[in-house]
Amino acid sequence: MASATPTAAAAPLTRDQVVPSRRRIKLPPWLEVAKPRLIPLLLATTLGGMALSEGWPLSSPRLACTLGGGALASAAAGVLNCLWEQELDGRMQRTSGRALPSGRLSPTAAFAGAVSCTLAAATLLVSGVNCLAAGLSLLGLCSYVLLYTALLKPRTTQNIVIGGVAGAIPPLVGAAAATGHVGLSGWWLFALVMVWTPAHFWALALLLRDDYRAVGIPMLPVVKGPIVTARAIRRYGWATALLSLLGVVALPEGGVLYGLLVIPFNGRLLQMVEHLAQDPSSSERAKGLFRWSILYLFGICLLLILSRQSDAALLDAQVRGWMLMLTGGFSGTSA
């Protein structure tokens, strides 16, 4: 009797399969190293930080300078990250075709581009916004390159937990641009992005753990395995959902609308982290969570902006009026 042929193990997903647009759009080398696909989400959280501030909405010139400076600083950080990891990228099949390890862009040209972007970002933010916004933006750049890329990533499974501070700084930049200081609301969005980051990134790391293992990067899925990673994602997913509810009080106005609309976002997030916890080895569930987590953070920032519209403020006033009426009614009944 012939034995059954064993089913071949599915090949691990590549980053191109996780983010299909990477295959459709071929960027020139000088733009590729700037990692432009990461910039829109960073700018969205910058806008979220602005929307949480009393200075919202900003004037068009200040808004343009803030977003332009933030984009340039992010581009500089991306280039410096590629320079630092050039040798590492060359040893990984997934990244060996990138501009620097493949030789399509020289390190000298890349470094010159990073310096130019940094100087342009600082000039734009100092002259068009304020020194605090410029300083915070440069702090984000340095924390990504030095704290995360150089110090934490090759040394600890908690690299993204601590190094996530780099991606959480844009809301502070937005708050500083709007008011000249960072209030508690800005720090709330900073904390939310910090808590959101591990679940988002570890979902991707589950898909790419073979690549990280091959070059000795101690990502959590490599060191602890999918089960422990899925449990950690679950914890951070719940923490993200709970912390997001504080946006109701973080907003100067419009918190009621935000509170109503954030519920389905959190419901979907929790559903996906629970599904992954039930089957940590599922590439499809990890991929789905990774993609949704991006939409989730975009959605939170959009809700913050929508909640600052005049209609949202009117809804707040109406709800407060109803609550006062109910409170008065109960007081009268008890009397």
Side-chain angles (χ1 to χ4, degrees):
M1 180 177 177
S3 59
T5 303
T7 302
L13 293 173
T14 66
R15 190 183 291 260
D16 285 346
Q17 291 172 305
V18 178
V19 188
S21 62
R22 291 175 180 270
R23 293 178 293 174
R24 296 195 298 266
I25 303 173
K26 189 66 175 178
L27 300 175
W30 60 269
L31 184 57
E32 177 189 317
V33 293
K35 300 188 175 183
R37 295 179 180 90
L38 302 180
I39 295 176
L41 189 54
L42 296 174
L43 297 185
T45 58
T46 303
L47 288 169
M50 295 177 186
L52 285 163
S53 305
E54 294 290 351
W56 177 267
L58 280 70
S59 65
S60 296
R62 179 172 286 249
L63 178 64
C65 287
T66 304
L67 297 181
L72 287 167
S74 176
V79 176
L80 292 172
N81 169 267
C82 288
L83 280 167
W84 187 275
E85 296 190 330
Q86 178 182 354
E87 187 272 336
L88 181 68
D89 286 343
R91 292 192 285 122
M92 298 172 67
Q93 182 179 2
R94 173 177 59 86
T95 57
S96 59
R98 287 180 175 175
L100 286 170
S102 67
R104 290 184 290 116
L105 183 69
S106 71
T108 302
F111 183 73
V115 172
S116 299
C117 285
T118 302
L119 293 175
T123 301
L124 196 59
L125 289 167
V126 169
S127 61
V129 189
N130 55 52
C131 291
L132 179 58
L136 287 169
S137 188
L138 294 179
L139 177 62
L141 185 161
C142 292
S143 61
Y144 178 62
V145 176
L146 300 178
L147 179 64
Y148 172 68
T149 303
L151 181 63
L152 297 173
K153 185 176 179 179
R155 291 178 174 84
T156 172
T157 59
Q158 299 301 301
N159 46 31
I160 199 63
V161 176
I162 307 167
V165 66
I169 285 180
L172 305 184
V173 176
T179 61
H181 67 274
V182 179
L184 290 177
S185 295
W187 285 110
W188 164 75
L189 189 53
F190 170 89
L192 180 64
V193 177
M194 280 284 292
V195 172
W196 165 89
T197 299
H200 161 73
F201 183 81
W202 283 334
L204 176 64
L206 279 171
L207 300 169
L208 305 178
R209 62 184 181 275
D210 290 340
D211 277 343
Y212 289 125
R213 181 182 293 111
V215 293
I217 298 296
M219 292 299 176
L220 187 64
V222 173
V223 177
K224 298 295 185 179
I227 295 177
V228 172
T229 302
R231 289 173 181 167
I233 289 173
R234 184 185 189 184
R235 290 194 298 271
Y236 277 98
W238 274 93
T240 300
L242 293 174
L243 187 58
S244 73
L245 299 178
L246 292 181
V248 173
V249 294
L251 280 159
E253 56 187 13
V256 172
L257 178 65
Y258 170 87
L260 292 173
L261 295 181
V262 80
I263 293 173
F265 281 86
N266 283 330
R268 181 59 173 160
L269 177 67
L270 295 178
Q271 180 189 45
M272 299 193 81
V273 299
E274 291 295 337
H275 282 178
L276 181 61
Q278 293 168 8
D279 187 4
S281 62
S282 171
S283 295
E284 286 303 314
R285 293 186 180 188
K287 180 169 64 173
L289 175 58
F290 171 72
R291 290 178 171 177
W292 172 252
S293 66
I294 297 172
L295 295 176
Y296 176 88
L297 193 56
F298 269 120
I300 292 292
C301 296
L302 178 60
L303 292 184
L304 293 174
I305 294 171
L306 291 176
S307 298
R308 293 305 308 275
Q309 306 306 306
S310 57
D311 290 345
L314 180 60
L315 177 61
D316 263 11
Q318 289 176 337
V319 170
R320 290 194 190 99
W322 295 335
M323 292 178 66
L324 287 173
M325 290 175 60
L326 288 173
T327 304
F330 286 130
S331 299
T333 302
S334 61

